[in-house]
Amino acid sequence: MDSLRPPESIYNLIPSDTKIPPKPSRYVSVFKAAVKNELQKGKAAWKTMGPAKVDVPSPKDFLQKRSKPPKLPLSDKKTSKNDIRKPPVPLRSDHPIMGIQSGKNFINTNAADVIMGVAKKPKPIYVDRRTGDKHGLELSGLVPKYINKKDYGIIPEYICKRNEEVKKVQEEYDNYVQTKLKKAAMKRLSDEERDAVLQGLKKNWEEVHKEFQSLSVFIDSLPKKIRKQRLEAEMKQLEHDISVIEKHEVIYIANK
C-alpha cells in the first residue's frame, strides 16, 4: 500500500487554484562581453601547449638504431700539452738487455761511506714514568729555548708605543683637571677689598635703619606690617654679614 502513495512534496500543501510565482531571471552584467574579449586578447593558442598546428612525422621515417652520431660523455679530467706522460708500454718483440755486469764493489763502498760519514746525533728524549714512557725533549718546555733569543726580555715596539700614548693621554687629563681646579679655586680678599665690603654693608644698614625709623608708630594696615617685617629682615641680615666680616680677618670667595 505504501508503494501506491504519491511522493511527499511541499507543493501538495498548496491549494491547486493558487498560482506559483515564476522564478526571477538570473542577473547578467552588461559588461560580460567586453570582459570576455579583454581576456581573450592576451591569450595565444600555443602559449602553453606549443603551436596549434604541427606537421605529423611520416611513419616511414622512424628512429633506427645508431642512426645518430654517438656523443661521448665529457671527461672531468683536464689535460694540457705540458703534462708529462708515462713512457709507452714496451712491445712484445722488445727484449731487455742481458749480461751487463758492474765492477763496483758495493761492500767496500758502503763501508767507506759509513766510516767517513758523520754520526747521527740521538734525539733528545725524557722519561716521565717508571715504566719507561719516552717523549721528545724539545717540545716539552724543559729546554731553555726562549731565553737564548736575541730579543728576550726586550719590550716589543707596539707595547712601547701604547705606553707612550697612554702616558700622553694621562698628562692631558691631569692638565685638564688642574685647569679646572684653578678655575674653581677660592680667591682671598685683600684688606682693602675687605674694608670696602665692610663699609658698604654698614652704609646699607644705615640706609635701611633710617627707613625703618621713618615708619609710623601706629601700624594699622597690612602693607605697613609687611614693610616693617621686610626692613627688620634686611637689617638682621646686614648685621649678620657685618659681624661675620669683622670676626674673620681672612676671607675666601669661591669663583663661579
Side-chain angles (χ1 to χ4, degrees):
M1 295 297 290
D2 294 338
S3 60
L4 298 177
R5 288 182 181 179
E8 293 182 358
S9 177
I10 192 172
Y11 294 105
N12 296 334
L13 302 175
I14 302 173
S16 59
D17 54 347
T18 59
K19 294 183 178 180
I20 301 172
K23 197 172 184 181
S25 60
R26 186 177 179 184
Y27 171 77
V28 179
S29 177
V30 295
F31 302 103
K32 181 178 180 181
V35 173
K36 191 173 182 180
N37 293 334
E38 288 292 335
L39 290 174
Q40 292 296 333
K41 283 182 181 179
K43 291 185 178 180
W46 58 86
K47 196 166 185 179
T48 57
M49 300 299 294
K53 294 181 180 181
V54 181
D55 296 335
V56 181
S58 175
K60 296 180 180 179
D61 299 336
F62 59 89
L63 185 62
Q64 297 181 0
K65 186 178 181 181
R66 297 180 181 177
S67 60
K68 292 184 178 181
K71 292 183 179 180
L72 298 176
L74 298 176
S75 178
D76 297 336
K77 297 181 180 179
K78 295 182 180 180
T79 58
S80 60
K81 296 180 179 180
N82 298 328
D83 293 343
I84 301 174
R85 297 185 178 183
K86 294 181 180 181
V89 179
L91 302 177
R92 296 180 64 183
S93 58
D94 296 341
H95 298 285
I97 300 174
M98 306 294 289
I100 299 177
Q101 295 181 358
S102 175
K104 183 177 180 181
N105 191 346
F106 290 96
I107 298 175
N108 296 337
T109 303
N110 294 339
D113 292 340
V114 171
I115 293 170
M116 300 299 295
V118 179
K120 293 183 179 181
K121 295 183 179 180
K123 186 178 180 181
I125 58 174
Y126 73 98
V127 180
D128 59 350
R129 293 185 182 181
R130 62 182 180 181
T131 55
D133 297 337
K134 298 179 181 180
H135 303 281
L137 185 62
E138 184 178 359
L139 301 177
S140 63
L142 302 175
V143 181
K145 180 170 59 175
Y146 295 100
I147 61 175
N148 296 328
K149 289 187 175 181
K150 295 180 180 180
D151 56 350
Y152 178 76
I154 300 175
I155 300 175
E157 186 178 357
Y158 73 94
I159 295 180
C160 296
K161 291 182 178 179
R162 178 62 179 171
N163 293 338
E164 291 177 0
E165 293 176 359
V166 172
K167 186 177 180 181
K168 185 177 179 181
V169 173
Q170 186 65 31
E171 290 178 356
E172 293 177 356
Y173 177 74
D174 294 340
N175 295 334
Y176 171 76
V177 172
Q178 291 295 332
T179 53
K180 284 292 183 181
L181 291 176
K182 288 180 181 178
K183 290 181 180 179
M186 302 182 72
K187 179 183 177 182
R188 180 181 176 180
L189 284 179
S190 61
D191 296 338
E192 294 79 5
E193 292 176 347
R194 177 177 174 276
D195 295 339
V197 172
L198 186 60
Q199 294 298 328
L201 291 174
K202 289 181 178 180
K203 185 177 181 180
N204 293 338
W205 183 87
E206 291 177 356
E207 292 177 357
V208 176
H209 184 263
K210 184 178 180 181
E211 187 178 356
F212 181 78
Q213 291 292 334
S214 63
L215 292 175
S216 61
V217 178
F218 185 71
I219 299 174
D220 55 351
S221 62
L222 183 61
K224 292 181 180 180
K225 186 177 181 181
I226 293 174
R227 185 183 179 190
K228 181 182 178 182
Q229 292 177 355
R230 178 176 62 80
L231 294 174
E232 288 178 350
E234 290 181 3
M235 291 174 62
K236 188 175 182 180
Q237 182 64 36
L238 289 171
E239 290 174 359
H240 177 266
D241 295 341
I242 291 170
S243 64
V244 169
I245 294 177
E246 289 179 346
K247 186 177 180 181
H248 300 88
E249 296 182 358
V250 180
I251 300 174
Y252 290 93
I253 299 176
N255 294 327
K256 295 183 179 179

